[in-house]
Amino acid sequence: MKTVLHRASTRGFANHGWLKSHHTFSFADYHNPERMNFGTLRVINEDRVAGSEGFGTHPHRDMEIISIPLSGALRHKDSTGGGGVIQRNDIQVMSAGTGVTHSEFNDSANEPVHFLQIWVFSRERGVKPRYQQKKITEFVQTNKFQQILSPYPNDQGVWIHQDAWFSWGDFNKGKTCTYTIKRKDNGAYFFVISGRLEVAGQELGPSDGFGVWETNDIPVHATEDAVVLVMDVPMQLPDYLY
């Protein structure tokens, strides 16, 4: 088993007034050559956006972009015709593929929106752009890992163009379970939303990240009530990046 620990306090940080953003991996003006990605997982940004503010229309290519609001509401619009408002308990995916432009704004004039934006490299270059969103409350249950994203269009949750699975865990204090990596040569990256838990014996708190690979089963124990997102991704980058 191999592991990598990224404490919340070691992340990059940008304060633009209207936007406060923490970067788990190198992003924008934050560059750390030792924190470029975890396999095909390229970006985990924890963003807080002030009322009525947001990101104007901008482009992306060949990236699977996942947004998960933790509080407040986020309004999205993109060049595929996709768009709408997402809030806590929703997950949104935009496959950028051959090229897409989009914008994201806080849907409230007064309340901040707090959300995760996650980028995963697409399996192949030049897929058709697409948009999708779902409520994770349709299938999430307490005290077990529940899949919210996969590579399969007809599977539970949203889907992306990559051999990746995201799972949501909402655990009561004292609960112990096992996370099993979905695919050979994948690794699992745990990002703590709230509370505290131990993953493979490593104590983790809010916004800590912990990557585990070269193993199959990973023990998880909640030392407090805790919510955690697991991103199970290929450790090998796609050929088009070389």
Side-chain angles (χ1 to χ4, degrees), residues 140-215:
V140 166
Q141 300 178 43
T142 304
N143 291 326
K144 58 176 64 177
F145 285 109
Q146 294 287 317
Q147 177 185 297
I148 60 173
L149 175 151
S150 82
Y152 306 119
N154 296 322
D155 214 347
Q156 177 174 283
V158 295
W159 68 276
I160 62 173
H161 296 277
Q162 184 52 273
D163 296 317
W165 289 258
F166 285 14
S167 295
W168 189 266
D170 187 345
F171 296 107
N172 294 331
K173 180 179 179 179
K175 179 65 178 178
T176 297
C177 67
T178 299
Y179 180 81
T180 300
I181 290 179
K182 305 293 188 185
R183 173 182 174 271
K184 187 178 183 296
D185 299 325
N186 272 22
Y189 194 90
F190 294 76
F191 186 88
V192 181
I193 306 298
S194 63
R196 303 193 72 84
L197 69 166
E198 292 178 356
V199 176
Q202 176 65 61
E203 179 78 20
L204 302 174
S207 300
D208 286 345
F210 186 56
V212 185
W213 70 106
E214 293 190 8
T215 190

Side-chain angles (χ1 to χ4, degrees), residues 27-111:
F27 187 86
D29 292 335
Y30 167 63
H31 181 76
N32 182 339
E34 295 183 355
R35 290 175 63 163
M36 296 302 298
N37 57 290
F38 177 80
T40 55
L41 177 60
R42 175 61 189 88
V43 168
I44 304 175
N45 285 350
E46 184 175 5
D47 291 344
R48 291 172 172 84
V49 177
S52 298
E53 298 286 354
F55 305 90
T57 302
H58 57 283
H60 293 282
R61 294 181 63 90
D62 297 318
M63 197 72 72
E64 306 294 314
I65 299 172
I66 300 102
S67 297
I68 302 176
L70 303 179
S71 66
L74 187 69
R75 179 174 294 278
H76 168 92
K77 184 177 181 181
D78 68 53
S79 55
T80 73
V85 176
I86 55 171
Q87 52 196 342
R88 183 174 174 84
N89 298 320
D90 291 338
I91 181 171
Q92 175 202 86
V93 165
M94 184 181 69
S95 298
T98 54
V100 68
T101 59
H102 78 137
S103 62
E104 297 165 296
F105 281 87
N106 188 338
D107 196 50
S108 169
N110 303 307
E111 298 297 322

